[in-house]
Amino acid sequence: MMKLRWWRVDASEVAAVTAMGVWEAVLAGGGRRFIKRKDSDAGETGSYRRPALFLASFFNSIARAGRALEELRSSLYNEMHSSEGAKRQQQRFCGPSVALTFNFAVAVGIIVANKMVMGSVGFKFPIALSLIHYAVALVLMAILKALSLLPVAPPSKSTPFSSLFALGAVMSLSTGLANVSLKHNSVGFYQMAKIAVTPTIVAAEFMLFQKKVSFQKVITLATVSFGVAVATVTDLEFNFFGACVALAWIVPSAVNKILWSNLQQTGNWTALALMWKTTPVTIFFLLALMPLLDPPGLLLFDWNFRNTCAIIISALFGFLLQWSGALALGATSALSHVVLGQFKTIVIMLSGYLIFSSDPGVTSICGAVVALGGMSFYTCLGLKESAAPTSKKPPSRSNSFLGKPGVIGDGGSLDYEDSV
């Protein structure tokens, strides 16, 4: 009697069973089907099927793992390469507290960087400095795009080009005029112009969108503005040209925040995607403003290694400030961001008093305390409104900047002293 060992399986049969298992895994249909054996081998069917079943199960497991990996890859691609997914990721990882803290830290950093550029380096060209900031930001975003790390923008048909063009133009005016105002006016007069942005936002949002602010918030904002004015406005020195620039800056600054608010809140725009679309327009208008508002002599500036490095560092902080400002305004509101800017001013002043033993005076300290009290109450009101249930429908995805807005907006002004 001839004995057959279980491993003596015809190679063609193993190949056929393996191919059938792979084909079944690809088609994912039907039950398990195996090749019928010859009548002469019928008595040894059980022993012949053992390696075939093992191979079929092995290839089925590989196919299932491949399908799972493909589903995961597809999910990650949708999250990172669709405007909806990118928006969800931004909201998930960058909430209000993270965004506001990020913006606050970067704002303090750019104050130091810009003081170094304007002081020790002696770069006296405010529009050119803003232009360099935005140019560096555009280069950094182009690198992110080349690496497929830049969030995808919503479809072009969902956002009129006029909205993006208007935002880019207003951003250039807001940033450029702020820096020119600070150069030609005293810090006190500049702070008064910043305080005037708050009621301008309230009035503009009411006129454009019929958006109303509660009486409690109006009183709170007035208290904050009064406290900041008492704390920071120690002199009101200005000239006619500086006053005109400061007044001309107020409206673009407010509109800048409102447009950012509308585009981010009514669509699936992320901060970086919106910056990528509007920065070229901003650069174009800054180029047009530079010969009008900057003094001559930019090409004669001493572009040595030390000065260039200082300006590049300032530009990197400028990019982070613009990004953090957009994130903060995407997570909160335009008015909240104004209050944050005033909070930064008060904290910087009190830090100088507590850490560096500066003497701002009793009046300024009292004003700072009043402002901090008003900011705390404003925060409490905002938290109550956020916690209150609402039955309103989600905002429309029509991104015309005259549509009904949510509550944010700003690209982050690159002021020498602060961001707005």
Side-chain angles (χ1 to χ4, degrees):
M1 178 175 177
M2 183 175 62
K3 296 181 180 180
L4 294 176
R5 296 179 182 179
W6 66 272
W7 61 80
R8 293 180 58 188
V9 182
D10 190 352
S12 62
E13 294 183 3
V14 175
V17 173
T18 302
M20 181 62 71
V22 174
W23 184 252
E24 180 184 355
V26 173
L27 296 181
R32 301 180 180 272
R33 293 188 296 272
F34 300 96
I35 299 177
K36 295 182 179 180
R37 302 191 174 276
K38 298 179 180 179
D39 295 335
S40 59
D41 298 330
E44 298 177 357
T45 301
S47 60
Y48 274 73
R49 284 188 176 180
R50 291 173 187 173
L53 286 173
F54 172 77
L55 290 173
S57 176
F58 174 72
F59 280 103
N60 280 334
S61 299
I62 293 178
R64 286 194 296 269
R67 285 195 297 270
L69 289 175
E70 178 61 23
E71 291 175 359
L72 178 61
R73 187 199 68 81
S74 177
S75 175
L76 292 175
Y77 182 88
N78 290 335
E79 286 294 320
M80 298 302 298
H81 293 81
S82 67
S83 57
E84 295 86 353
K87 184 70 174 180
R88 285 194 298 269
Q89 291 296 322
Q90 177 175 302
Q91 293 172 340
R92 181 184 306 170
F93 294 107
C94 195
S97 58
V98 174
L100 292 173
T101 304
F102 181 30
N103 184 241
F104 178 82
V106 173
V108 175
I110 200 173
I111 290 171
V112 177
N114 279 342
K115 280 188 174 181
M116 180 176 62
V117 170
M118 300 301 296
S120 60
V121 173
F123 193 80
K124 304 298 183 182
F125 309 96
I127 302 296
L129 182 61
S130 299
L131 177 63
I132 293 172
H133 284 192
Y134 280 101
V136 170
L138 186 63
V139 171
L140 292 175
M141 287 186 288
I143 295 174
L144 292 177
K145 187 174 180 63
L147 297 175
S148 299
L149 296 177
L150 191 74
V152 176
S156 57
K157 62 181 181 181
S158 65
T159 304
F161 176 74
S162 59
S163 299
L164 300 176
F165 185 84
L167 178 56
V170 171
M171 195 185 308
S172 65
L173 292 174
S174 174
T175 302
L177 293 179
N179 292 341
V180 175
S181 172
L182 187 58
K183 178 182 177 181
H184 290 277
N185 297 312
S186 65
V187 175
F189 191 82
Y190 174 74
Q191 289 292 344
M192 288 298 294
K194 285 178 62 177
I195 291 171
V197 172
T198 303
T200 305
I201 290 176
V202 175
E205 288 187 332
F206 177 76
M207 289 187 293
L208 292 175
F209 313 116
Q210 291 74 50
K211 181 181 177 181
K212 298 181 180 179
V213 179
S214 66
F215 180 74
Q216 285 183 319
K217 278 195 172 182
V218 170
I219 298 299
T220 303
L221 291 171
T223 303
V224 171
S225 299
F226 174 77
V228 172
V230 172
T232 60
V233 181
T234 56
D235 62 328
L236 290 175
E237 296 179 4
F238 62 93
N239 55 45
F240 179 74
F241 177 76
C244 291
V245 171
L247 294 176
W249 167 76
I250 294 173
V251 173
S253 179
V255 174
N256 183 32
K257 298 175 185 295
I258 293 171
L259 293 183
W260 272 88
S261 172
N262 188 48
L263 287 173
Q264 284 201 82
Q265 289 292 330
T266 61
N268 290 316
W269 285 98
T270 59
L272 283 175
L274 195 53
M275 288 166 58
W276 173 251
K277 291 292 185 179
T278 57
T279 298
V281 180
T282 302
I283 291 176
F284 172 78
F285 278 94
L286 287 174
L287 284 172
L289 289 173
M290 191 166 59
L292 299 176
L293 298 175
D294 266 357
L298 176 63
L299 298 179
L300 299 177
F301 179 74
D302 185 12
W303 293 94
N304 57 39
F305 180 77
R306 173 180 173 273
N307 293 347
T308 303
C309 286
I311 293 173
I312 294 299
I313 291 173
S314 172
L316 293 175
F317 273 107
F319 167 71
L320 293 177
L321 180 66
Q322 186 185 3
W323 184 28
S324 64
L327 289 173
L329 289 159
T332 57
S333 69
L335 287 176
S336 296
H337 195 249
V338 170
V339 173
L340 174 66
Q342 295 170 341
F343 174 73
K344 287 181 283 190
T345 302
I346 295 299
V347 167
I348 291 170
M349 189 203 75
L350 291 179
S351 298
Y353 172 70
L354 296 174
I355 299 175
F356 302 105
S357 301
S358 64
D359 187 14
V362 177
T363 302
S364 295
I365 294 176
C366 291
V369 172
V370 171
L372 289 175
M375 293 170 190
S376 301
F377 188 67
Y378 181 86
T379 303
C380 292
L381 292 177
L383 292 175
K384 287 182 179 179
E385 289 184 358
S386 299
T390 175
S391 60
K392 294 181 180 179
K393 296 181 180 180
S396 170
R397 293 191 180 182
S398 174
N399 285 337
S400 170
F401 67 82
L402 292 178
K404 188 175 180 179
V407 282
I408 59 167
D410 185 89
S413 161
L414 305 180
D415 302 346
Y416 295 150
E417 296 293 337
D418 203 351
S419 67
V420 181

